[in-house]
Amino acid sequence: MGVKSLRLFNKFNIKGHKVKGSAFWWEIEESLAPVNDQDKLPLDAEFVIVGGGYTGLSAALTIARQGRLVLVLDSGLPGYGASTRNGGICSGQIRLSHSKLSHKFGLSYADEVYAEGIQARLDLAKFCAEEGIECDLQMTGRFTGAMSRADYESQSREAERLNEIIGHKAYMVSKADQHNEIATNLFHGGMVREEIGGFHPGKFFAGLLKSAQKAGVIVRSNTSVQDVVDLSPGKKSVITSKGKVTAGKVIIATNAYTGRQHRVGKFLRCRLVPVQSCIIVTEQLGVEKVKTLMPKLRMYGNTAKLYSYFRPTPDRDRILLGSRSFDRKEPTDRSVTYLKRKLVQIFPELGYCAIDYCWLGNVGFTRTQMPVIFEHNEIHYAAGYAGSGTVWARWLGKKVAETAMGTGNRPSTFYGSPPPALPFYDGNPWFLPAVQKYFSLRDWVKNAY
Ligand SMILES: Cc1cc2nc3c(=O)[nH]c(=O)nc-3n(C[C@H](O)[C@H](O)[C@H](O)COP(=O)(O)OP(=O)(O)OC[C@H]3O[C@@H](n4cnc5c(N)ncnc54)[C@H](O)[C@@H]3O)c2cc1C
């Protein structure tokens, strides 16, 4: 698959308007391609990393900066997994609220996790500044609309707790004041978290790739890793679609794109559920219009079980909205219609607007909905960011690299044993449609009363 072909991928018409079935962020595709990409693989490398998204490249950069030889292999084009398909919201949040996390694992663990989120996000900003990555990173704050009065109450309790952890700046906005945040009557007020922001995922990926290659990382695209077998203590053979490479250490960074076709993913795929998320981007609305709808130009979300996230594009000319997907591989008019309806529920006056882009991608969930970083059979893994990988994938990529090099001492709160495998599951999430229907019903019941 060539870079150019991605742009032509799946265009379709809705009411006579052409929708591009490719990510808005791919418009900068030339800078997304690795340099010196060849078919020929080196015979050996100290470290081989499987997967060239944020996790893989961040791990590779960390290792290369220690003067070690590192090879990144990607079955497609690096970055064209989730790393250039996401919404670009940089939260460093996890799925479970602080109160749910403390209830399950204890208060001090919840505090540690939320503190690491702050540390990881600050580290992302520092990294972009140090590397000179211009990716429109801005800490605009995020407003999360409450879908019910009960949600508003529980957000208020959460805000109080979060403010006790250094680095959090959370406050509530009542329904009466909501129009200062967003031009909608849909929500019952909501919570602002000032410290959260967003970036252009494609520009960030391009910068990360450039830094990694400049540090000496070798990147090979269109190279599927099929298996990793032991040769002798401390030596592995990495079997790929283009031949074998001898490796000292191997890191698996395939996350929600682990796939079911190769043995290499077997251990991870029984422990990680790939959930499709779909995004639309409107036609150009004009900066003034976007500012009328989103006066503070923040990142946005809501408290629904079938969560939607939305934001202005970095040029502030369009609105991006993401939520569940009806499709598994390519977007269709069904997903566009569903997401457009979500957009119009928030901003009824956008009923007229056309959708220019629609794409989907996979988000990886572990059973606990928490990211994981672990070692199994001398192979290192980082995965399971549950839709919040813009911060976590880079951070845990760095941490998994430190673990593999033996330089990290309890590198992260997420470091530990492999996550539990899901019963009766081999990587095919056959149960997702039923789960999504259940969540959708719960949202409907909540909004009806
Ligand atoms: C639609 C969508 C919206 C999102 N929105 C947000 C958001 O707003 N904020 C946020 O924080 N996060 C968001 N995310 C999540 C975030 O994008 C991911 O968590 C993050 O990009 C994961 O990076 P990664 O490097 O681990 O995985 P990926 O970027 O998916 O990279 C995995 C790579 O592994 C490669 N691979 C797989 N198998 C093999 C193999 N056998 N051999 C070689 N290579 C292989 C794939 O080709 C792929 O390139 C979103 C995700 C999606 C899909």
Side-chain angles (χ1 to χ4, degrees):
M1 183 168 51
V3 180
K4 283 286 166 211
S5 65
L6 283 160
R7 203 175 243 218
L8 303 173
F9 188 65
N10 187 24
K11 271 187 187 164
F12 48 96
N13 279 295
I14 294 192
K15 293 186 186 151
H17 184 80
K18 218 174 262 170
V19 181
K20 287 187 187 175
S22 55
F24 175 69
W25 316 118
W26 294 350
E27 295 293 343
I28 58 151
E29 61 195 359
E30 281 74 17
S31 53
L32 296 175
V35 292
N36 300 326
D37 196 5
Q38 308 163 13
D39 275 343
K40 197 163 182 294
L41 300 181
L43 289 177
D44 45 57
E46 285 179 272
F47 290 81
V48 169
I49 297 180
V50 188
Y54 298 153
T55 306
L57 285 179
S58 168
L61 175 60
T62 308
I63 295 167
R65 290 257 160 95
Q66 296 303 312
R68 319 288 288 269
L69 182 64
V70 50
L71 170 68
V72 174
L73 302 173
D74 199 288
S75 51
L77 287 164
Y80 283 82
S83 294
T84 59
R85 293 169 189 263
N86 60 71
I89 299 176
C90 301
S91 69
Q93 183 144 7
I94 57 154
R95 274 287 145 157
L96 301 187
S97 65
H98 185 279
S99 61
K100 277 199 182 130
L101 195 64
S102 2
H103 183 70
K104 267 188 142 172
F105 301 108
L107 182 65
S108 66
Y109 181 71
D111 281 355
E112 262 185 67
V113 167
Y114 270 73
E116 188 170 336
I118 295 286
Q119 197 188 353
R121 200 179 43 245
L122 290 175
D123 195 64
L124 172 70
K126 184 167 164 263
F127 174 75
C128 291
E130 283 173 359
E131 301 291 321
I133 299 178
E134 288 175 11
C135 58
D136 307 314
L137 176 65
Q138 273 196 317
M139 293 311 161
T140 53
R142 184 185 67 192
F143 175 82
T144 304
M147 297 303 289
S148 65
R149 277 199 300 276
D151 284 354
Y152 183 85
E153 295 310 321
S154 107
Q155 281 183 317
S156 308
R157 290 190 294 275
E158 181 79 3
E160 253 175 57
R161 184 66 201 104
L162 286 180
N163 286 331
E164 287 170 20
I165 306 167
I166 293 169
H168 288 83
K169 292 176 203 135
Y171 59 88
M172 299 304 295
V173 177
S174 68
K175 185 160 182 150
D177 294 334
Q178 175 168 284
H179 279 245
N180 297 328
E181 291 291 335
I182 180 167
T184 189
N185 293 321
L186 182 67
F187 303 130
H188 295 251
M191 173 165 58
V192 171
R193 283 192 48 194
E194 284 283 359
E195 77 282 4
I196 285 174
F199 66 16
H200 184 303
K203 288 185 184 174
F204 174 69
F205 177 81
L208 176 60
L209 176 65
K210 197 168 163 199
S211 290
Q213 293 212 276
K214 213 166 140 198
V217 173
I218 304 170
V219 180
R220 293 287 182 266
S221 57
N222 298 317
T223 310
S224 284
V225 174
Q226 295 159 347
D227 204 356
V228 176
V229 292
D230 289 331
L231 289 177
S232 57
K235 283 251 172 294
K236 297 192 181 295
S237 178
V238 179
I239 300 164
T240 83
S241 54
K242 291 185 181 161
K244 292 180 185 171
V245 181
T246 303
K249 300 248 164 116
V250 175
I251 296 175
I252 306 285
T254 52
N255 197 33
Y257 282 80
T258 299
R260 296 170 69 212
Q261 64 275 45
H262 300 308
R263 250 182 74 87
V264 68
K266 193 162 184 276
F267 190 74
L268 187 58
R269 69 175 166 257
C270 303
R271 291 163 167 76
L272 195 73
V273 180
V275 178
Q276 279 76 37
S277 182
C278 194
I279 291 182
I280 52 169
V281 171
T282 64
E283 64 178 324
Q284 290 177 281
L285 300 171
V287 179
E288 282 316 308
K289 178 83 200 163
V290 173
K291 270 193 181 160
T292 320
L293 299 171
M294 301 169 155
K296 296 188 179 156
L297 298 164
R298 296 193 194 276
M299 306 290 124
Y300 300 83
N302 64 26
T303 57
K305 285 273 167 215
L306 280 179
Y307 173 76
S308 303
Y309 47 96
F310 49 105
R311 59 169 289 182
T313 50
D315 59 9
R316 299 162 172 189
D317 199 13
R318 304 166 186 264
I319 294 177
L320 171 155
L321 179 140
S323 189
R324 71 171 279 191
S325 174
F326 281 100
D327 306 305
R328 293 287 294 271
K329 291 228 159 0
E330 290 177 21
T332 63
D333 51 356
R334 197 164 169 227
S335 289
V336 178
T337 308
Y338 172 77
L339 294 184
K340 169 85 188 285
R341 202 163 61 230
K342 291 255 170 206
L343 182 70
V344 174
Q345 271 169 4
I346 304 164
F347 303 118
E349 61 188 281
L350 288 185
Y352 73 89
C353 94
I355 301 302
D356 276 353
Y357 298 82
C358 178
W359 70 93
L360 51 94
N362 298 350
V363 171
F365 284 83
T366 59
R367 204 163 147 182
T368 58
Q369 303 187 55
M370 305 264 278
V372 286
I373 157 169
F374 63 94
E375 185 185 345
H376 176 73
N377 279 350
E378 296 176 341
I379 298 179
H380 299 265
Y381 296 81
Y385 315 116
S388 292
T390 57
V391 170
W392 289 125
R394 191 204 68 89
W395 174 254
L396 292 182
K398 182 170 135 176
K399 297 294 164 190
V400 78
E402 290 169 3
T403 320
M405 289 189 293
T407 56
N409 180 17
R410 192 167 188 256
S412 160
T413 39
F414 303 114
Y415 179 69
S417 321
L422 280 95
F424 312 111
Y425 174 68
D426 69 346
N428 173 25
W430 50 269
F431 42 82
L432 276 184
V435 172
Q436 286 181 331
K437 270 205 181 114
Y438 169 71
F439 281 161
S440 164
L441 189 68
R442 282 188 56 180
D443 283 338
W444 180 80
V445 169
K446 195 151 95 179
N447 294 335
Y449 296 99

